[in-house]
Each structure stands twice: as C-alpha cells, then as structure tokens.
Amino acid sequence: MNINITLFGQMVTFVIFVAFCMKFVWPPIVQAMADRQKQIEDGLAQADRAGRDLELAQEKAAEYLRNAKAEAAGIIDASNKRASQIVEEAKNQAREEGNRIVTAAQAEIDREFNRAKEELRGKLAQLSIAGAEKILQSSVDQKAHSDMLSKLAAQL
C-alpha cells in the first residue's frame, strides 16, 4: 500500500508540475521559438532580397562599365584623330615655312647675283677704259663716251 500512495502522490505532483509548466513555462518557450522562427524567416527573406539587389547592382555596374569603356574608346579615337590632324597641320606649316625660306633665299641669291653682275660690269667698264687708254695712249673721257660704255655693258 505504501507504494500505491507514494505512486499516487508522485502522479499528483507530476500532474501539478506538468500543469504548471504548461501554464507558465511552455508559453514563453513556444513564444521564443516562434520569435526565433520569424527572425530566421525574415533573415532568409532579407538574404534573398539582398541577393537580388546584388545581382541588379552587378548588372548596373557592368552596364556602367560598358558605357565607360565605349566612351573612353570614343575619346581615344577622337584624340587620335586630333593628334594626326595636328601632325598634318604641323607638316603643312613646316612645308610652307620651308617654301618661304627657299623663296627668300632664292630672292637673296638673285639680288646678290644682280649686285655682283653690276659690280662686274662696272669693273669691266673701268678695265675697258683703262685698256683703251693704254692702247690709245691718251685719256678717254668717261662722260663723253658714256653711250659707248652703256652699249658695251648691255652686250656683256
């Protein structure tokens, strides 16, 4: 009998303990598990959204990169064209400057040639007069014979 009363007392105590746990302990544990489950679901949803946002951001970044590369290629092409244009302009200016220098040098040569020619004519006329004086043994008046000297200079 003693075992039955003890067993009956233990059962009553166990039922009271289970009722107490069901009333006061179990609801906070279930609530904590539900909260934790909701947090996990929210975290997974946020991770999915973050993954989609990351994909969109990567696509936008790739688009911006393609646009930047295309723009850079356009700028490089334009700068190469401008550089070749500048080189051509410099070549043309150099040719023009060279032609101008050659023309100026040719004009200077012509002036020097004409000056030397006139100088030689003058010296030749003096030598001719000196030679004629020696041949004639007399003085030849340059003013009197200017026509003869100009004809002689024209022939030379």
Side-chain angles (χ1 to χ4, degrees):
M1 288 221 233
N2 214 2
I3 291 182
N4 285 338
I5 293 177
T6 306
L7 191 60
F8 181 72
Q10 285 178 351
M11 280 189 349
V12 170
T13 305
F14 185 70
V15 168
I16 292 172
F17 177 72
V18 169
F20 176 79
C21 283
M22 299 249 329
K23 177 111 178 145
F24 297 107
V25 176
W26 191 255
I29 292 175
V30 169
Q31 183 63 36
M33 286 184 359
D35 290 344
R36 181 71 179 145
Q37 184 178 7
K38 184 165 179 10
Q39 285 178 341
I40 291 171
E41 288 174 357
D42 290 344
L44 290 175
Q46 287 177 351
D48 288 340
R49 282 192 303 268
R52 280 181 269 143
D53 290 345
L54 178 64
E55 288 175 9
L56 289 174
Q58 286 175 341
E59 288 175 9
K60 284 183 180 180
E63 180 72 23
Y64 288 141
L65 187 60
R66 282 191 298 274
N67 290 341
K69 284 182 181 180
E71 187 175 335
I75 291 170
I76 289 171
D77 287 342
S79 64
N80 286 337
K81 287 178 185 177
R82 180 65 182 139
S84 62
Q85 183 182 18
I86 289 171
V87 167
E88 282 300 315
E89 288 174 0
K91 285 180 183 179
N92 290 338
Q93 287 177 351
R95 281 189 200 107
E96 290 172 4
E97 183 68 17
N99 290 339
R100 188 188 61 77
I101 290 172
V102 167
T103 303
Q106 187 64 40
E108 181 67 24
I109 289 170
D110 288 344
R111 280 193 301 274
E112 287 294 318
F113 178 74
N114 289 335
R115 188 188 57 76
K117 193 172 167 183
E118 290 300 320
E119 187 178 319
L120 285 175
R121 280 184 185 165
K123 285 184 181 183
L124 183 61
Q126 289 175 356
L127 286 174
S128 297
I129 291 172
E133 281 180 352
K134 285 186 180 183
I135 290 174
L136 296 174
Q137 293 293 327
S138 67
S139 165
V140 176
D141 185 17
Q142 188 174 5
K143 290 181 184 175
H145 302 293
S146 63
D147 289 337
M148 182 175 74
L149 289 176
S150 49
K151 285 181 185 177
L152 182 61
Q155 287 177 358
L156 295 177

